Amino acid sequence: MPPKKALPPRVGIVLGSESDVQIMRPCATTLAEFGIPHELRVISAHRSPEAAHEYAKTAAARGLAVIIAAAGGAAHLAGVLASLTPLPVIGVPMPTSNLGGLDSLLAVVQMPSGVPVATVAIGKSGPVNAAVLAAQILAIGDAELREKVVAYKLRLAERIAIADENVRAGRV
Ligand code: RP5
């Protein structure tokens, strides 16, 4: 049987630096759990601005539906990409600077009117939440994916119910 052809990516995860890769791994893992084809790129708004421009300008035509942009410090990446693409952009503030990540959050949430970046949580929830939000956006037009999102939420509730049982039984 010929090898299965990889589907073209629907979500682009763009990282401002190699130092963001490990933090953002759970984002890619979560998209994979939903069966969403995605790509991971390192492109910097400041260090490789031309590549950032090219990526944003060509993303929609390549079939991407959502861009997830993770950057720390000045964290302009999500905003720059959002300014150049009609696609929804999700910003993940990275805790990689000397100021611990609150600076990145403040940078990402200060987009001017008309150029939104959907900013997710700081800390370890951010990469996962970016992937879940991307799945929810794609699920608007995809009933099968919507079922996966519903199942994901049921699993969250199950985990909480188990924790509740454990606490009530004095096991933790
Ligand atoms: C940002 O500055 C990157 O997104 C990263 O989070 C942070 C630090 O980058 P490095 O100096 O480690 O490359 O541009």
Side-chain angles (χ1 to χ4, degrees):
M1 210 162 61
K4 230 172 132 186
K5 227 176 136 200
L7 293 168
R10 304 298 324 280
V11 176
I13 307 172
V14 188
L15 315 177
S17 166
E18 198 179 338
S19 58
D20 301 320
V21 175
Q22 284 318 315
I23 303 170
M24 284 298 287
R25 260 312 159 213
C27 181
T29 309
T30 305
L31 287 172
E33 281 167 15
F34 281 110
I36 298 172
H38 56 278
E39 64 182 12
L40 189 64
R41 299 283 307 273
V42 177
I43 299 172
S44 166
H46 304 118
R47 292 167 173 154
S48 60
E50 281 164 21
H53 190 281
E54 165 81 9
Y55 187 87
K57 281 291 197 189
T58 57
R62 288 197 300 112
L64 292 180
V66 181
I67 294 176
I68 295 172
H76 290 137
L77 181 61
V80 166
L81 297 178
S83 73
L84 294 164
T85 177
L87 300 177
V89 175
I90 301 170
V92 190
M94 291 286 95
T96 43
S97 79
N98 294 325
L99 297 173
L102 194 54
D103 50 332
S104 319
L105 170 69
L106 293 177
V108 178
V109 292
Q110 292 195 76
M111 289 302 294
S113 166
V115 190
V117 166
T119 309
V120 292
I122 50 173
K124 67 182 166 94
S125 306
V128 172
N129 282 359
V132 175
L133 182 55
Q136 290 171 321
I137 292 170
L138 288 168
I140 291 168
D142 182 336
E144 198 182 320
L145 185 54
R146 195 156 56 242
E147 275 172 29
K148 288 182 187 172
V149 172
V150 170
Y152 179 86
K153 286 186 175 287
L154 285 175
R155 286 199 297 279
L156 293 183
E158 273 164 22
R159 286 220 297 270
I160 293 296
I162 290 167
D164 183 41
E165 238 175 76
N166 285 337
V167 167
R168 287 168 38 152
R171 286 193 286 268
V172 287

